[in-house]
Amino acid sequence: MHIKRVIIKGFKSYASQLDFDTFDSGSNVIVGKNGAGKSNFIEAIRFVLASDSYQRKLSSEEKKTLLHTGAGGSTLLGYVEIEFDNSDKRLPLDTAEVVLRRSIGLKKDEYTLNGRRAEISDVLSLLESAGFSRSNPYYIVMQGQVAQLTKMTPAERLDLLKEVAGTRVYSERREESVKIMTETLAKKEKIDEVMDMLADRLKELESEKEELSEYRNLDRERRAFEYSIYNHQLQDCVGKLQSVDEERAEQSAVVGQKYAELDQVRNELRAAQSDLLTIADTLSSIDGQRDALLEERKVLLQQQAKATLDLQDKESAMKLTSTSKSGVTKQLREISAQVKSSHTKLAKLAKDFEAVSASEQKLAQEIGSVEGRLKDLLSRAGRQGQFKSAKERDAWIKKEISDIKMQIQRKEQQAQNLQERIRELENRREEDRQLIATRSKGLEERRKALEDASADFEEKKSKRDEFNSKRKELWREESEIDVLIQKHTEHLRKAERRLQSTMSKELAAGLATIDRLRSEGTAEGVYGPIIDLFDCDDKFMTSVEVAAGNSLFHVVVDSDRTATRLVNTLNDEKGGRVTFIPLNRLEVKDVSVTRTEQVKPLVEVLRFKSTFEKAFMQIFGKTLLCGSMEVAANVARLNKMSCITLDGDQVSSRGAMSGGYYDPTSSRLLAHKEVKKFKDMISTAKQQREELRTRISQLDQRIDSAVAEVASADAQRIKSREDLDHFDLSCRNAAKQQLSSEEGVIQANRSLTEVRVSVQALKDTQASLEQEMTMPLTEMSDDERNELQDLSKKLPKLRQQLFEIGQKRISLEGEKTEVENALSSHLLPKQDQLESALASGQLPDVDDAAHVRAELEKIDEKLQTLNQKIDALSEKKEESRTQESELRSAVEALAAQEDALSSEVDVQSRIMDKLMNKRHNLTQKREEATKRLREVGSLPADLTAKFSGKSSAECLLLLHSTNQKLKGYSHVNKKAFDQYTSFTDQREALVQRKQELDESEAAIANLVDTLDHHKDEAIERTVKGVSKYFSEIFSELTNGGKASLIKLVSEGKQKEVKGIEINVSFAAGRVQKMSQLSGGQASIVALSLIFAIQRCDPAPFYVFDEIDPALDDSHRRAVALMIQKASEPKIIQRVESGQVISEETQTQFIMTTHRPELVEIADKHYLIAFSNRNSSINVVNHDEAMSVIGLESVEESAQADSADAE
């Protein structure tokens, strides 16, 4: 066995020494500078091996000094680990390698052996079994121990050898034996005192035994009477209990029936109340629908009033103008016929007018000619008196002719101008005629375009109105759903408040916080409360709720990490308190139970996901559902499980019963069911509302598109109308221009005719004057007179004719003007107006009125439909009112019935309670009677049979008589027999105990003598052995020196050894004592003694910490050679089972030194270096180790020289 490696972490100067090359099984030397950590390395080995002061419990300050303190501060935890080679099985373990670790912290100090925790006492025992005796302090030799040994007194040396001999064990056992002997003597004295007291007491009890015998006979009779009385009471209680159980069973059936009736009434009441709420919602919905319909009817009535007024306006306009669309067409035909007839009449009138005008012009010319001739004749007749001569006359005539010629010239020029004007007007008239023809065709095209645009506008407007109607209907449905959601939300809040009233405020706040976190998406891994995760039939709700209790609100999560995070969140937000069930921490055991019709696990009536099975098994897995309390009591007793009935009555696994009436109105599961129902209804309604809003949104888009199309069509219609109006205006202007041109032609022709007539008259006058010049200035001839007379007669006639023709012309002109005015101011504008109105659709016509009338009929139909709906809603409202009234009456009746049944149930419950109390009292009496029977104890059968036929009253009388007799023995010691027997037994036991103590005292005295003898033998043997090895080793180390251990014996008969003196003589020297030796000589003597002790009590390895600093070179070499020799492998023989077995063994040495001698003989070398407040140990070769020693020697020499110089 030897040390293979030492691992150090956080111990003294070693921060982390995890890599370590194994020690050699022979000699190992460790070198390094002073302060590098060599002693700390040896200290680490002592720490693990619990050497000296490390065997006891260390204080906090001592632990703190052992922990490593580096540049980063103190280490909080450290350890030292030693790995042993146990191939020789010196340590009584089955492994070839043994790892022993000792860990240390400010509050920690523990051992681990091969990875398992071990106590320090176990470690010390293990090491001692391998040869590390606690009585031998020298298998680890620290600095100063050699010097300390040189300074020991003889008495201290003797104590050391006693320690080596193991006398401490003998001393400790002797002290324990002496202590036991002292205690034994004290016990013997106490026993003697007690035995004397018992002897006196036994004498007294002898006299009390006779009276006690008589007393016992009477007492047996008393007990027999009591037994009979208690037995009668027991039988009476059993009979009454049976009656009570029968009555209770009958009452239970009655109560069960009443409970069933009450539950039925309450279910009907809840159903009626639910129906009442539904009807209230229906009424509210009806009111909302009716209000919406009334509002829509109001709008339709406004539209109806507007349409009615529009229809009246159009009909009035039609009456005033005698037009309508069909009438316009007819009127247009009539107007067109009138225009045509007027044009025909106008042409005829124009022709007649022209003929009459020509006749009038011809007659006017003739009258002019006649008047001219007549004027000439009269002038000629007058010129006879005017002029004196023909010459004067001729001169005047010439002047007149000259003036006439000028007038004719002007008139002819005027006629020429008029002809040119006529040509221009005729050309313009032809152009206007052609323009009118062209524009009439374009006007028809624009009228057709306007008709198409108007039709498109009306179509798109109708489509828009249809979409608007659909949207209004959807809005009304959305409003109804909003009202429904509002009602459901109110019911949900009431249900939530009812549910929250069944839990504490902290729990409600906690669950609200968890719900908020889940809605925010920050509660990953949370599945929700138990109450949200399962469902069951209504008949099991009471049993499930009672069994679960507050566990219904425990929140299931995936892991304890999630639960910890949520608990921290609740604490940070002060969000209430919640109990969490982490699924990863649940370990549910399978519970086997025999299932019957009356018994099954409660968890089997629940419906939940398999993910949550552990949670539900944790809460409900140990509860059974039973058909009745009797079955529950038996099953709970047999299976040691909690049982529950459908009514919620419980029997715990220990037999405790709880139950009674459970009010379903305060049920958490029912409240939660209500909450869930309204949440589902709200969710469904919101989904419907979202679908409606989607449809409304789609319809809005279609309406927007339709409005845009209507606007576009309206713009096109307006543009077409404006184009038609502009074109129509140009057409009318062209027609007016044509009429103006025609009128101008007529006026110009009339003016031309007048001018021509005037020219002809002037020419006739000119001719007459020229003819007169040829005639002499004489009186008229007869022919001229006759002509003047004829002309004077003819002229009035012609003038009359001209007047008549003028009147005719004026009449024709009046007719012609009238026809022209009718055409220009009435017929043609009317024709244009009707044609434009017919094209634009703006004229009040039959079709427009029909359209308005159709719209009005649609409105009337809608109003009729709305009125029907309103009437239907009113009827439905009345029906709902009637149903509401009936339901209210039913609710009141059911409530009254519930109160009555509740009162009956209360009465029956009180009866049941009384029966239960009575049964409880009888049970207590039965138990009390049974208890008293047990207290009476067993009696002889003949004695109990003797009084079995007597009644309870007779037994009471006999008991009273016996008690009176017993009063006479009140002074008797009731326990005399027992005390006598007890004291006798005690006396015998004390006698036996005293004998045992005497034997023990003799054995202890013998043991003390034996221990003293063994102690003396051990000391003698150790002194002799150590003295022998001391002499041999000293001679070997000093090359022939002599040394011996001398016992110092006290004077007197005992000859007690008081100390050990050492006498030595070096080669060829005198004998000297330790006090006479130099430091080096004393050190070699001390080392010799240490080696001698080690040979007496050998160990598998030795640890030396600088044992050679005080030795001279020769002694160091001698010590080194001795260690080298001791570390070499050896063959030893031992006898086992009668056979001689040879084994190779080797002693390991681990040494630190500053001298070369130990380095020279070492099998392996190590160097300890110190850097950055951290020590480290590494393997080096022989030369490297010697160089370190040499460098240290140089440094020491330099320091010595410096000291000498100073």
Side-chain angles (χ1 to χ4, degrees), residues 135-337:
S135 62
N136 185 354
Y138 289 112
Y139 65 88
I140 299 177
V141 182
M142 299 298 295
Q143 280 185 21
Q145 276 188 287
V146 176
Q148 183 182 3
L149 190 58
T150 62
K151 298 176 182 179
M152 279 187 177
T153 63
E156 290 173 340
R157 292 190 198 100
L158 178 60
D159 292 338
L160 174 62
L161 292 177
K162 287 181 178 180
E163 184 71 21
V164 173
T167 58
R168 181 191 300 173
V169 176
Y170 297 118
S171 299
E172 290 176 354
R173 292 185 64 184
R174 188 181 190 283
E175 289 177 1
E176 291 176 0
S177 300
V178 171
K179 183 178 179 181
I180 293 172
M181 184 179 290
T182 303
E183 292 175 353
T184 301
L185 292 173
K187 290 178 180 178
K188 286 173 64 179
E189 293 178 357
K190 186 68 175 175
I191 288 173
D192 291 337
E193 293 178 0
V194 173
M195 288 180 68
D196 293 340
M197 182 188 70
L198 288 176
D200 296 338
R201 183 60 181 150
L202 286 171
K203 290 180 181 179
E204 295 177 359
L205 290 174
E206 284 290 343
S207 61
E208 295 176 355
K209 286 171 62 178
E210 294 181 0
E211 291 183 348
L212 182 60
S213 178
E214 296 176 0
Y215 172 80
R216 282 188 171 181
N217 292 329
L218 290 173
D219 185 65
R220 276 196 298 270
E221 290 183 1
R222 176 187 63 78
R223 288 168 55 212
F225 296 145
E226 288 179 347
Y227 181 87
S228 297
I229 292 170
Y230 295 150
N231 189 44
H232 284 306
Q233 291 179 355
L234 178 61
Q235 297 302 322
D236 183 58
C237 288
V238 170
K240 289 181 178 179
L241 273 173
Q242 186 175 358
S243 300
V244 167
D245 287 338
E246 292 174 356
E247 185 178 358
R248 182 172 171 273
E250 294 175 358
Q251 288 295 328
S252 179
V254 174
V255 170
Q257 183 180 358
K258 294 297 181 182
Y259 276 151
E261 293 177 2
L262 181 60
D263 288 340
Q264 182 179 358
V265 168
R266 282 179 171 168
N267 290 332
E268 292 176 359
L269 180 60
R270 281 196 297 270
Q273 290 173 343
S274 177
D275 293 340
L276 196 60
L277 289 175
T278 303
I279 288 178
D281 292 340
T282 303
L283 286 171
S284 177
S285 176
I286 289 172
D287 290 336
Q289 294 178 23
R290 191 169 180 275
D291 292 341
L293 291 175
L294 289 174
E295 186 65 26
E296 187 174 353
R297 186 175 71 173
K298 180 179 178 181
V299 174
L300 287 175
L301 287 173
Q302 292 175 352
Q303 293 177 358
Q304 184 189 42
K306 183 176 180 301
T308 302
L309 292 175
D310 289 343
L311 182 62
Q312 290 175 357
D313 290 342
K314 290 188 179 296
E315 288 177 349
S316 299
M318 287 167 57
K319 290 177 181 178
L320 291 172
T321 59
S322 300
T323 59
S324 64
K325 192 166 184 180
S326 58
V328 165
T329 305
K330 181 179 180 182
Q331 186 69 19
L332 184 59
R333 288 197 297 270
E334 292 176 356
I335 293 297
S336 298

Side-chain angles (χ1 to χ4, degrees), residues 1-6 45 48-49 81-88 90-91 93 95-101 111-114 123 126-127 130 132 139 1100-1101 1148 1150:
M1 173 187 173
H2 63 272
I3 296 175
K4 291 184 67 175
R5 59 173 59 88
V6 179
I45 296 175
V48 178
L49 298 179
E81 180 179 286
I82 297 179
E83 181 181 341
F84 296 100
D85 184 304
N86 191 38
S87 56
D88 58 356
R90 188 158 184 170
L91 288 171
L93 297 173
T95 57
E97 293 179 351
V98 176
V99 178
L100 182 63
R101 173 187 287 193
Y111 275 95
T112 56
L113 181 63
N114 287 340
V123 173
L126 182 69
L127 293 173
F132 298 101
Y139 65 88
F1101 60 83
Q1148 183 186 44
I1150 300 173

Side-chain angles (χ1 to χ4, degrees), residues 822-891:
L823 283 171
S824 62
S825 61
H826 178 64
L827 293 176
L828 290 176
K830 187 65 176 178
Q831 185 183 26
D832 293 338
Q833 181 184 3
L834 292 175
E835 289 176 350
S836 299
L838 188 63
S840 63
Q842 288 186 343
L843 277 178
D845 56 88
V846 171
D847 291 339
D848 284 346
H851 177 71
V852 174
R853 191 174 290 106
E855 289 293 328
L856 187 59
E857 289 175 357
K858 289 181 180 178
I859 293 172
D860 291 339
E861 290 177 1
K862 289 182 180 180
L863 278 172
Q864 185 178 359
T865 303
L866 282 177
N867 287 329
Q868 290 175 356
K869 289 182 178 180
I870 291 171
D871 293 339
L873 286 175
S874 297
E875 292 177 1
K876 187 176 180 181
K877 184 176 181 180
E878 283 300 320
E879 292 176 359
S880 299
R881 291 284 188 195
T882 303
Q883 292 179 2
E884 182 184 27
S885 177
E886 293 174 354
L887 280 173
R888 288 191 185 280
S889 300
V891 166

Side-chain angles (χ1 to χ4, degrees), residues 1179-1199:
V1179 176
V1180 295
N1181 55 35
H1182 173 270
D1183 294 338
E1184 290 173 335
M1186 290 301 292
S1187 65
V1188 172
I1189 296 298
L1191 182 60
E1192 287 184 342
S1193 299
V1194 172
E1195 290 178 355
E1196 287 179 0
S1197 298
Q1199 291 176 359

Side-chain angles (χ1 to χ4, degrees), residues 1071-1185:
V1071 177
Q1072 295 175 307
K1073 298 183 183 296
M1074 284 293 290
S1075 60
Q1076 297 172 333
L1077 300 177
S1078 64
Q1081 292 172 338
S1083 294
I1084 196 66
V1085 172
L1087 281 173
S1088 299
L1089 184 58
I1090 288 173
F1091 290 147
I1093 293 171
Q1094 290 177 348
R1095 285 191 184 180
C1096 282
D1097 188 11
F1101 60 83
Y1102 296 100
V1103 180
F1104 295 154
D1105 184 18
E1106 297 184 18
I1107 63 173
D1108 57 352
L1111 301 177
D1112 54 24
D1113 295 343
S1114 62
H1115 290 159
R1116 281 197 297 272
R1117 281 192 294 272
V1119 170
L1121 290 173
M1122 180 177 287
I1123 291 174
Q1124 183 181 23
K1125 182 179 178 181
S1127 64
E1128 293 175 351
K1130 300 178 183 65
I1131 300 298
I1132 63 172
Q1133 294 181 343
R1134 59 184 177 86
V1135 179
E1136 183 175 333
S1137 301
Q1139 295 181 353
V1140 178
I1141 299 174
S1142 299
E1143 292 180 347
E1144 182 179 340
T1145 183
Q1146 188 176 12
T1147 302
Q1148 183 186 44
F1149 288 88
I1150 300 173
M1151 305 166 288
T1152 66
T1153 185
H1154 291 285
R1155 305 302 179 194
E1157 287 77 13
L1158 292 177
V1159 176
E1160 288 289 348
I1161 60 95
D1163 297 319
K1164 203 164 187 177
H1165 307 81
Y1166 294 85
L1167 171 65
I1168 291 180
F1170 185 76
S1171 177
N1172 294 328
R1173 304 180 71 179
N1174 180 34
S1175 298
S1176 61
I1177 182 169
N1178 296 287
V1179 176
V1180 295
N1181 55 35
H1182 173 270
D1183 294 338
E1184 290 173 335

Side-chain angles (χ1 to χ4, degrees), residues 976-1161:
F977 282 108
D978 295 336
Q979 289 176 354
Y980 185 84
T981 303
S982 175
F983 289 159
T984 302
D985 293 340
Q986 289 181 28
R987 184 178 62 180
E988 292 175 355
L990 288 174
V991 170
Q992 186 177 357
R993 178 59 177 159
K994 185 177 179 181
Q995 292 175 355
E996 292 174 355
L997 289 175
D998 290 339
E999 294 173 358
S1000 176
E1001 182 182 3
I1004 291 172
N1006 187 26
L1007 177 61
V1008 171
D1009 293 339
T1010 303
L1011 289 173
D1012 291 340
H1013 178 68
H1014 288 329
K1015 178 180 176 183
D1016 294 340
E1017 285 182 350
I1019 293 172
E1020 185 66 25
R1021 184 173 58 252
T1022 302
V1023 171
K1024 286 180 180 180
V1026 171
S1027 179
K1028 175 177 176 289
Y1029 291 129
F1030 176 63
S1031 297
E1032 293 175 357
I1033 293 169
F1034 183 78
S1035 176
E1036 183 179 352
L1037 293 177
T1038 59
N1039 195 19
K1042 295 181 179 180
S1044 61
L1045 298 178
I1046 307 298
K1047 292 190 289 185
L1048 301 179
V1049 182
S1050 62
E1051 297 180 357
K1053 297 179 180 180
Q1054 298 265 335
K1055 301 296 182 183
E1056 184 180 354
V1057 179
K1058 290 188 175 182
I1060 300 295
E1061 184 64 77
I1062 297 177
N1063 290 334
V1064 298
S1065 63
F1066 291 88
R1070 61 186 178 85
V1071 177
Q1072 295 175 307
K1073 298 183 183 296
M1074 284 293 290
S1075 60
Q1076 297 172 333
L1077 300 177
S1078 64
Q1081 292 172 338
S1083 294
I1084 196 66
V1085 172
L1087 281 173
S1088 299
L1089 184 58
I1090 288 173
F1091 290 147
I1093 293 171
Q1094 290 177 348
R1095 285 191 184 180
C1096 282
D1097 188 11
F1101 60 83
Y1102 296 100
V1103 180
F1104 295 154
D1105 184 18
E1106 297 184 18
I1107 63 173
D1108 57 352
L1111 301 177
D1112 54 24
D1113 295 343
S1114 62
H1115 290 159
R1116 281 197 297 272
R1117 281 192 294 272
V1119 170
L1121 290 173
M1122 180 177 287
I1123 291 174
Q1124 183 181 23
K1125 182 179 178 181
S1127 64
E1128 293 175 351
K1130 300 178 183 65
I1131 300 298
I1132 63 172
Q1133 294 181 343
R1134 59 184 177 86
V1135 179
E1136 183 175 333
S1137 301
Q1139 295 181 353
V1140 178
I1141 299 174
S1142 299
E1143 292 180 347
E1144 182 179 340
T1145 183
Q1146 188 176 12
T1147 302
Q1148 183 186 44
F1149 288 88
I1150 300 173
M1151 305 166 288
T1152 66
T1153 185
H1154 291 285
R1155 305 302 179 194
E1157 287 77 13
L1158 292 177
V1159 176
E1160 288 289 348
I1161 60 95

